[in-house]
Amino acid sequence: MKSFLINIRKGCCPAFSRLFVIALVYCYGACSSSGDNPEIKPPINIEPVTPIDEFYKELNFTTIAAHRCYFRTSPENSLAAIEDALELGIEFLETDTQTTADGVVVLFHDSTVDRMTNGSGLVANMNFGNLSNLKLKNNRNGGVLTEETIPTLEQALLKIRGRNIYMHLEVKDKNFSEVVTIIKKVEMEDQVVVFADTRDDYDILDTFVGIFIDPVCRTSEEFNFYLNRTNTPILNLAGTQFIANNTQTAKNNNKLTWRGITGKDEDIELISGATSTPNLNTLIAIDPSIIHTDYADLLMAYLESKDKR
């Protein structure tokens, strides 16, 4: 079962999608953002990916979102971590963006580079040329310095373009306008969803035509409001809103539901190897469409053991 699903997510199985493979050749100029961003060219062979607002039609198993691009063996939010996620065969990359002093949007979680690189200082105060010379640390391997560098958002998007995986973006510095510009530039609106932590975030994102949003639902009023919006293919269920009635209602309304377990008891159960997993059992009983975890490989094995993949 595991190998079958991995083949599906890599696009190797023709049964996964109704869409046929087409060959497109794209030629892009240098990045439109200011700074020292290099010229990026997408792969030649592009396979159409089911638009994220239609993904529910394909869904008969529980999908997995890797926290910070699956940083189990590679630095978080790196191109290597994205490749690891693609090899694993999961469905969603959760990642973060920051903007440099010269306006280049990069994949990076922290506001400073201190924890994750051999440099120091605020991302917002650094030009991309200087930032791109830093090396990323592998903090799952004792902070060992690697040859990986901080990628731009455009580089990351083009790496997954036409591959059966979706990107979930948390815009840490709220620079929504530039992030949307990049998504539209590479024509990947159908493969990306932008996280909205608050109603204010949603209202800003709602002004951008064609952009899909994952809003947090903390109250029943928020759940009902976002349930009826066409640009919210995913509903992020938080607190008291994470209940089976809401996951079923969302499914009945052609919405996916997102549940994060990073740093929570469910993730702790995954890494403990315990035979008793009450929190994980409750999680899958509520049946979210997408589970967001630090341990995508372990979650995959657990879901397979429960016939959820």
Side-chain angles (χ1 to χ4, degrees):
M1 182 67 170
K2 178 177 180 180
S3 61
F4 175 71
L5 283 168
I6 289 176
N7 285 338
I8 285 177
R9 299 314 307 159
K10 288 183 181 178
C12 297
C13 177
F16 172 75
S17 176
R18 305 182 307 275
L19 304 173
F20 57 88
V21 177
I22 61 174
L24 299 174
V25 179
Y26 289 91
C27 181
Y28 286 85
C31 178
S32 61
S33 299
S34 58
D36 300 320
N37 212 2
E39 180 178 354
I40 306 299
K41 295 182 180 179
I44 292 176
N45 294 320
I46 304 297
E47 179 181 353
V49 176
T50 302
I52 197 168
D53 62 331
E54 296 182 11
F55 185 51
Y56 70 88
K57 297 176 183 177
E58 311 274 2
L59 206 60
N60 58 5
F61 59 97
T62 303
T63 64
I64 297 173
H67 189 210
R68 302 181 195 172
C69 298
Y70 188 52
F71 59 108
R72 292 277 277 152
T73 58
S74 300
E76 65 183 56
N77 289 332
S78 66
L79 294 181
I82 293 175
E83 188 60 40
D84 291 344
L86 288 162
E87 288 295 320
L88 183 61
I90 58 175
E91 294 73 34
F92 288 87
L93 294 167
E94 185 276 339
T95 188
D96 316 279
T97 66
Q98 304 276 358
T99 308
T100 65
D102 52 345
V104 178
V105 179
V106 296
L107 255 60
F108 207 74
H109 177 273
D110 300 356
S111 59
T112 73
V113 300
D114 300 47
R115 179 180 66 88
M116 279 304 302
T117 77
N118 57 340
S120 63
L122 289 166
V123 175
N125 290 345
M126 302 177 71
N127 289 335
F128 179 72
N130 294 328
L131 195 76
S132 64
N133 288 325
L134 301 178
K135 302 298 185 183
L136 286 168
K137 296 177 183 177
N138 186 341
N139 285 335
R140 285 280 172 83
N141 191 23
V144 172
L145 206 62
T146 72
E147 290 303 307
E148 289 293 310
T149 57
I150 298 170
T152 66
L153 172 60
E154 185 170 346
Q155 286 175 310
L157 287 172
L158 290 176
K159 186 170 182 63
I160 68 165
R161 179 172 179 158
R163 303 176 76 174
N164 284 316
I165 198 165
Y166 301 94
M167 186 168 284
H168 179 284
L169 291 177
E170 182 171 359
V171 184
K172 288 292 187 180
D173 58 5
K174 309 296 184 182
N175 185 12
F176 295 118
S177 179
E178 187 61 25
V179 166
V180 167
T181 296
I182 295 167
I183 295 170
K184 287 179 175 288
K185 175 188 174 184
V186 297
E187 300 178 352
M188 288 182 63
E189 295 95 323
D190 285 348
Q191 209 172 335
V192 179
V193 63
V194 183
F195 177 68
D197 186 44
T198 65
R199 178 60 187 272
D200 287 343
D201 289 348
Y202 174 81
D203 288 344
I204 294 170
L205 288 165
D206 190 38
T207 65
F208 299 107
V209 176
I211 294 298
F212 291 121
I213 308 168
D214 169 28
V216 177
C217 304
R218 295 185 176 89
T219 66
S220 57
E221 290 78 15
E222 288 178 334
F223 175 80
N224 291 325
F225 173 77
Y226 293 128
L227 184 68
N228 295 304
R229 305 292 290 178
T230 59
N231 59 357
T232 55
I234 300 173
L235 302 180
N236 197 311
L237 303 181
T240 59
Q241 296 310 295
F242 184 58
I243 54 176
N245 183 62
N246 282 352
T247 55
Q248 186 59 53
T249 298
K251 185 181 296 185
N252 293 342
N253 284 270
N254 301 330
K255 302 282 187 181
L256 305 172
T257 49
W258 176 288
R259 179 63 172 178
I261 63 171
T262 60
K264 296 181 180 178
D265 291 339
E266 294 88 345
D267 256 1
I268 293 170
E269 288 178 354
L270 285 174
I271 60 175
S272 71
T275 55
S276 176
T277 55
N279 294 291
L280 283 167
N281 295 344
T282 298
L283 174 73
I284 64 169
I286 295 175
D287 197 26
S289 313
I290 308 157
I291 302 175
H292 173 212
T293 178
D294 272 336
Y295 305 98
D297 54 339
L298 301 180
L299 179 60
M300 180 178 283
Y302 171 80
L303 291 172
E304 288 173 350
S305 74
K306 300 296 183 179
D307 293 325
K308 300 293 287 184
R309 285 183 72 87

